[in-house]
Each structure stands twice: as structure tokens, then as C-alpha cells.
Amino acid sequence: MAQSFSARSRAIEPFHVMALLARANELQAAGHDVIHLEIGEPDFSTAAPIVAAGQAALAAGHTRYTAARGIPQLREALAGFYAQRYGVSLNPERILITPGGSGALLLAASLLVDPGKHWLLADPGYPCNRHFLRLVEGAAQLVPVGPESRYQLTPQLVERHWDGDSVGALVASPANPTGTLLHKDELAALAGSLKQRGGHLVVDEIYHGLTYGCDAASVLEVDDDAFVLNSFSKYFGMTGWRLGWLVAPENAVPELEKLAQNLYISAPSMAQYAALACFTPESLAIFEARRHEFQRRRDYLLPALRELGFRIAVEPEGAFYLYADISAFGGDAFAFCRHFIETEHVAFTPGLDFGRHLAGHHVRFAYTQSVERLQQAVERIARGLKTWSPDAL
């Protein structure tokens, strides 16, 4: 009997990079040396103090459900972190601990978006954002952005694209795939623009901590009513632990807690206890050393790719990505990526995964490998460009 699946499921697109990753893994299994620049996961293992705290939590029997909002100790530690890093006085009751940043996005979308309503999102942007909106029967109104706005939404763009079904905007700072920031005055201007229209501002701050030459401002410094998505995956290096958080206005917390109870009960208990070790001086020193290493990688790869002919119009200030225009080479991004996997065994991501606006002319490089490996990648890319043609594959 033919299976009938939901229109919701059919509307959610797969990651195009997964087909390329599968091929890269096939080549690697066959003995080829593949350089992976396609996946947004740091190459560092979770810091030793966090691992030790996780092991201690397991030994102590912290394996049961926690409260839906998370353990009080972690929410209090996060409130202290906001005070120390941003100068923000934050009531721990406003923080909900979630299964990854994805759990925070699921809560925010479920709370704020009715069927048929939408958020404004920058295009290019992280694909799961628009897919989560579809999951709750809402939609993403993709706003084409480019170097002129550093790939970010502006109040002018909000004014131009806002309509009767708009209920908010989701922005990311630093952003995936472009690595650009919204600075404090820009966040304040966006917040004011949304308030004028009765809309919500939701800010993805998942790459906070990974900034180079500047500090990222939290939207909470300028708008106490904003919703903040964050994660322990990137700066804190806990990708596989699946732990994130959501900061919300106090009047939203009871509704969000109810949603959390129904959607996932609680975030992983052992991960929550392990994360308490993130805020010690020892752990923070490790994270800062890793941040400096990411900056070293960016400072090598950015000029190296530009010298090869990739157009990277805006220097990224955060995250660990370079979003590059390949128009000078011709052809489409997916074929371009496939060429380099097959011929040079270097994997990077086609722009199709990040939206629609000029997506076929862009690729994303993740500098989540050592400088030595990045140097090897650049050598291979330079060689591969000599054999590339738009109809090569």
C-alpha cells in the first residue's frame, strides 16, 4: 500500500550537502585523504573539565528527568555569565534549558507563530530556521540580503517586506553562513522597528564567543523583550551533548514551560550537570585559546581564497565560515562542490543549503580544520581550479 506522508514533511528540504558528505565519506572509506570543510562542527573535542563533570554526574546518578526548564544551578550559572560578559542583569527564571539550540528554536516558533503567519529571515541563512517555521504551520518570508547590508536584516528591509501576516523577525549574530554581526546600535534599531509593528524580535546568538577583533553584543543589552536562542555547541564545544537555552520575557515563561513539558520533557540531565563546568576559569581559558585558533584559521583562509579568485565581499567577524561567490569560475555551486570532492577530495557546502538568493553562485567553507590542513586544502583547490569547467560533471 502506498504511504501517505504529510505535506509538512514533504515541504521540508533535505540538506544538499549530505549527498556530498556521503560521497566524501565513500572516498575516505576507500582510502583517500578527504579534507572536510563542509560541516559546521568544531574539530576540538569537548574540553576536559566538562567531560570530567559529565562523568561525575553519571557516577552521582544524575540520569533522571529534570524540571522542564532545566536545573536551577545551570540557569543561575547562565545568568551570572550574562552579567559578567554583557553587563545584563537577568533573572534565571527567564532561562529555559533546551535540547540543543534547535530545542530553543522549536519553543520560540511554537509560541510565537500561528498557522499562516511568518517571520522575516535573511536569505542566505541557516536552513533549519525556515524548516522549523514550516513545522509549526507558519512560514519564513525570505528577504534577499547581500554585502551592502553585510547579509543582515535592517529596519529598511523590515519596512519593505513586512505585511499583514508578519509577526516577527529572526536574525543571527554572528550569522551562518556569512559570519557577520549585528552591532549594538543595529540590534537596537531592529528592535525598535519590530516594536513599532507589534512584532517579536528573535535573535540567534549561537556563535557568541566566537568573534574576532570585536565582541558580539547581546540583544538583551538593548531590548529586554527579545527572545534569545543560544547553544553550548559552538563556543563551549559540546555539540554531541545536545544542550542549548532560550531567554524569554518573564510573561512568556509559563507558556514555554508548558510547551517544553509536552515536546521533550527536559534536556539531557547529565549534559546539564556537565555544562556547569563551562563557567570555571579553567574552562573559559580553554575556550578563549580555541577562539584565538579559529581567528588564526580565518586570517589564513580568507586572503588565500580571495587570491584564488573567490569573491568574499564582507570580512566575517564571527563564527567559523566563509561565504564565497564563485561567479568568476562559472557553473553552479553544487557541480562546483562535486568537482572538488571527486578530483581533489576537498569538501565544502553549496549555497543551495542556505536559501535561494544567488544560492547557485555561492559556497560555504567551514574553517574547522587546522591551519596545516587548510593550507593543504588551498593547494588542492588551486590545482582543481585548473581542471574545472562549468560542464565538467
Side-chain angles (χ1 to χ4, degrees):
M1 186 177 78
Q3 294 287 337
S4 177
F5 299 123
S6 69
R8 177 190 312 109
S9 175
R10 295 194 302 272
I12 293 175
E13 304 168 40
F15 285 123
H16 293 89
V17 73
M18 297 313 293
L20 298 170
L21 177 61
R23 179 57 181 152
N25 288 338
E26 286 177 3
L27 290 166
Q28 195 162 299
H32 297 285
D33 176 34
V34 177
I35 302 178
H36 291 276
L37 307 180
E38 77 278 36
I39 300 300
E41 181 171 25
D43 54 324
F44 302 111
S45 298
T46 299
I50 301 171
V51 174
Q55 292 168 334
L58 290 170
H62 293 306
T63 58
R64 303 174 68 85
Y65 296 133
T66 72
R69 283 187 289 161
I71 60 174
Q73 303 96 303
L74 186 54
R75 292 188 284 111
E76 289 163 5
L78 279 167
F81 185 70
Y82 275 89
Q84 178 270 324
R85 181 148 295 194
Y86 305 109
V88 170
S89 178
L90 183 61
N91 184 347
E93 297 301 309
R94 293 176 55 191
I95 302 171
L96 293 96
I97 308 300
T98 60
S102 298
L105 177 58
L106 178 59
L107 288 183
S110 300
L111 178 74
L112 301 176
V113 183
D114 278 322
K117 301 300 182 180
H118 57 241
W119 284 345
L120 274 59
L121 273 64
D123 179 1
Y126 181 56
C128 288
N129 293 339
R130 65 181 188 269
H131 296 157
F132 269 79
L133 291 172
R134 178 64 185 88
L135 191 66
V136 298
E137 302 297 337
Q141 183 167 349
L142 299 181
V143 177
V145 293
E148 66 283 350
S149 68
R150 300 192 337 279
Y151 299 99
Q152 294 284 359
L153 292 184
T154 65
Q156 294 75 23
L157 289 170
V158 170
E159 181 177 7
R160 190 180 311 158
H161 292 272
W162 192 268
D163 63 30
D165 289 324
S166 303
V167 294
L170 169 61
V171 297
S173 177
N176 177 9
T178 61
T180 63
L181 299 182
L182 284 162
H183 299 287
K184 187 182 293 188
D185 59 335
E186 295 168 321
L187 287 166
L190 269 177
S193 178
L194 270 294
K195 283 181 186 294
Q196 287 176 7
R197 293 167 173 81
H200 299 283
L201 178 58
V202 183
V203 184
D204 170 348
E205 298 185 354
I206 285 171
Y207 290 93
H208 268 224
L210 294 175
T211 56
Y212 316 114
C214 64
D215 292 323
S218 174
V219 69
L220 297 175
E221 297 176 54
V222 297
D223 181 11
D224 204 45
D225 294 322
F227 290 77
V228 174
L229 316 174
N230 213 319
S231 171
F232 286 92
S233 290
K234 309 301 183 181
Y235 178 67
F236 297 107
M238 295 180 66
T239 51
W241 300 76
R242 306 313 304 133
L243 199 65
W245 72 89
L246 172 67
V247 182
E250 287 191 32
N251 64 353
V253 170
E255 290 296 310
L256 289 166
E257 183 174 21
K258 177 181 67 177
L259 288 167
Q261 291 166 344
N262 282 274
L263 290 170
Y264 53 77
I265 301 178
S266 66
S269 55
M270 63 291 295
Q272 294 186 59
Y273 284 97
L276 291 171
C278 287
F279 308 102
T280 65
E282 180 186 7
S283 294
L284 290 169
I286 294 170
F287 306 146
E288 285 301 295
R290 292 177 175 183
R291 180 174 67 87
H292 290 304
E293 174 60 20
F294 278 124
Q295 180 168 358
R296 195 166 77 94
R297 297 173 183 185
R298 183 204 63 170
D299 291 348
Y300 165 73
L301 190 59
L302 176 61
L305 290 176
R306 282 174 167 168
E307 189 172 340
L308 292 179
F310 292 88
R311 181 172 179 264
I312 305 170
V314 180
E315 179 175 303
E317 296 174 289
F320 35 67
Y321 306 115
L322 298 174
Y323 194 61
D325 186 339
I326 62 167
S327 298
F329 309 118
D332 72 85
F334 191 88
F336 190 78
C337 291
R338 185 64 183 259
H339 168 76
F340 283 92
I341 286 178
E342 297 293 345
T343 63
E344 300 298 335
H345 306 142
V346 180
F348 43 91
T349 306
L352 295 171
D353 271 343
F354 305 107
R356 303 185 180 94
H357 180 55
L358 301 178
H361 300 292
H362 287 81
V363 298
R364 188 196 73 178
F365 297 90
Y367 43 93
T368 51
Q369 298 287 321
S370 69
V371 170
E372 293 71 26
R373 289 293 275 170
L374 294 177
Q375 290 170 337
Q376 294 173 14
V378 168
E379 291 171 4
R380 296 185 192 184
I381 292 168
R383 187 171 60 215
L385 286 172
K386 296 176 182 176
T387 61
W388 160 254
S389 66
D391 55 357
L393 291 175

